[in-house]
Amino acid sequence: MPGLAGRPGSWGGLLLRVGQTFFAAACIGVMGSSLGFSSYTAFCYLVASMGLQMLWSFGLACLDAYAIKVKKDLTHPIMLSLFVVGDWVTAILSFAASSSAGGVVILFQKDVLFCRRYPQLPCGKYELATAFAFLSWALSATSALIAFWLLAAF
Amino acid sequence: MPGLAGRPGSWGGLLLRVGQTFFAAACIGVMGSSLGFSSYTAFCYLVASMGLQMLWSFGLACLDAYAIKVKKDLTHPIMLSLFVVGDWVTAILSFAASSSAGGVVILFQKDVLFCRRYPQLPCGKYELATAFAFLSWALSATSALIAFWLLAAF
């Protein structure tokens, strides 16, 4: 299936990588600028996981751009295995981080009412950062599925 | 790849389904017997998601047992597509639920120190239920990967 949209080394693949990098960077920016996030393990883990996602996606975006420029095919089984392992690890870490941050944000807002009791807590920013992390994860999962599908179809 | 261990309709597949059902039931049992879990959205979501996981896995365990008994092959593309969709949906829901419950448990224990401040909170049970949910998810993800791999290899 060499014509699959979003495969490594295509414009679709590059677009997915750029999106992942952008949303991961946006998550880190918003979370990093919000007061007191480092007191909460889930938010620290979110920043760490999005940092890894950003590095990985940026590296692969550069590789995709290079492959498009020199018209190189990146869908070898060995390259695909590498992408599959990296993508799955980052996607699983990102999803775990986004879900646990989401769980904590909902706890703060609905269950223990920290957002109402402590108005200095930037709950809106926590929410926004979690939403960006979910978007980055969704794109990363798409890349991971495409790479896995291509590898299995070889 | 009809000889892949853990494929639908084999002893390995049946074992995976029984494991998923068992750990999901254990999670519901432990969480349901712990005081005040319903005050926390993440724990309610965990119980709901494990309920779905248990129903799905139990149904497929019965199907696997039937297929083994009558020596029926369940690896048709149409059946596999159904397994892939169901497995991925339940695995993603289970992972999101376990991660958000894990995030809340760590928050209670390390960040806001609720477990130390409110000794009536059954933190040990919350932890155990989350661990069972992670085990159920790990087996469910294995089934989902095997079904996806078989479908892609058709």
Side-chain angles (χ1 to χ4, degrees):
Chain A
M1 234 162 299
L4 194 66
R7 71 185 186 282
S10 71
W11 280 105
L14 178 62
L15 215 70
L16 282 174
R17 297 296 174 192
V18 170
Q20 290 157 26
T21 314
F22 171 77
F23 286 122
C27 169
I28 294 176
V30 171
M31 191 54 100
S33 72
S34 59
L35 199 80
F37 83 94
S38 58
S39 318
Y40 305 105
T41 313
F43 297 152
C44 294
Y45 173 46
L46 185 72
V47 168
S49 155
M50 283 295 124
L52 179 71
Q53 177 77 60
M54 201 176 72
L55 285 178
W56 170 258
S57 297
F58 182 70
L60 288 206
C62 295
L63 188 66
D64 277 348
Y66 172 75
I68 291 171
K69 203 182 158 209
V70 304
K71 293 197 170 61
K72 200 170 154 52
D73 185 20
L74 291 181
T75 53
H76 304 287
I78 297 171
M79 292 291 269
L80 279 178
S81 312
L82 185 78
F83 296 153
V84 164
V85 173
D87 270 339
W88 279 87
V89 170
T90 51
I92 288 178
L93 289 180
S94 299
F95 191 51
S98 330
S99 300
S100 62
V104 171
V105 167
I106 290 175
L107 185 89
F108 281 2
Q109 284 192 328
K110 295 208 168 165
D111 304 334
V112 295
L113 303 176
F114 273 15
C115 294
R116 208 178 298 167
R117 271 199 265 168
Y118 307 110
Q120 74 276 21
L121 218 62
C123 284
K125 279 190 169 184
Y126 293 158
E127 244 177 272
L128 190 65
T130 308
F132 280 140
F134 268 112
L135 287 173
S136 180
W137 163 74
L139 297 179
S140 174
T142 311
S143 287
L145 277 182
I146 290 169
F148 189 69
W149 187 271
L150 284 170
L151 183 67
F154 251 102
Chain B
M1 231 160 303
L4 193 67
R7 72 185 185 284
S10 71
W11 281 104
L14 178 62
L15 216 70
L16 281 174
R17 297 295 174 192
V18 170
Q20 292 158 24
T21 314
F22 171 76
F23 287 122
C27 169
I28 295 175
V30 172
M31 192 53 100
S33 72
S34 59
L35 199 80
F37 82 93
S38 57
S39 320
Y40 305 106
T41 312
F43 297 152
C44 294
Y45 173 46
L46 185 73
V47 169
S49 154
M50 282 296 123
L52 179 71
Q53 176 78 59
M54 200 176 71
L55 285 178
W56 170 258
S57 297
F58 182 70
L60 288 207
C62 295
L63 188 66
D64 277 348
Y66 171 76
I68 292 170
K69 205 182 157 208
V70 303
K71 292 198 169 61
K72 200 170 153 53
D73 186 20
L74 291 181
T75 52
H76 306 287
I78 296 171
M79 292 291 269
L80 279 177
S81 313
L82 185 78
F83 296 154
V84 164
V85 172
D87 271 339
W88 279 87
V89 169
T90 51
I92 288 178
L93 289 180
S94 300
F95 191 51
S98 330
S99 299
S100 63
V104 170
V105 167
I106 291 175
L107 184 90
F108 280 2
Q109 284 192 329
K110 295 208 168 163
D111 304 333
V112 295
L113 304 176
F114 272 14
C115 294
R116 207 177 299 166
R117 273 198 265 168
Y118 307 109
Q120 75 275 22
L121 218 61
C123 284
K125 279 191 171 184
Y126 293 160
E127 244 177 89
L128 189 66
T130 308
F132 281 140
F134 268 113
L135 287 173
S136 180
W137 163 73
L139 297 179
S140 172
T142 311
S143 287
L145 276 182
I146 290 170
F148 189 69
W149 185 272
L150 284 170
L151 183 67
F154 252 103

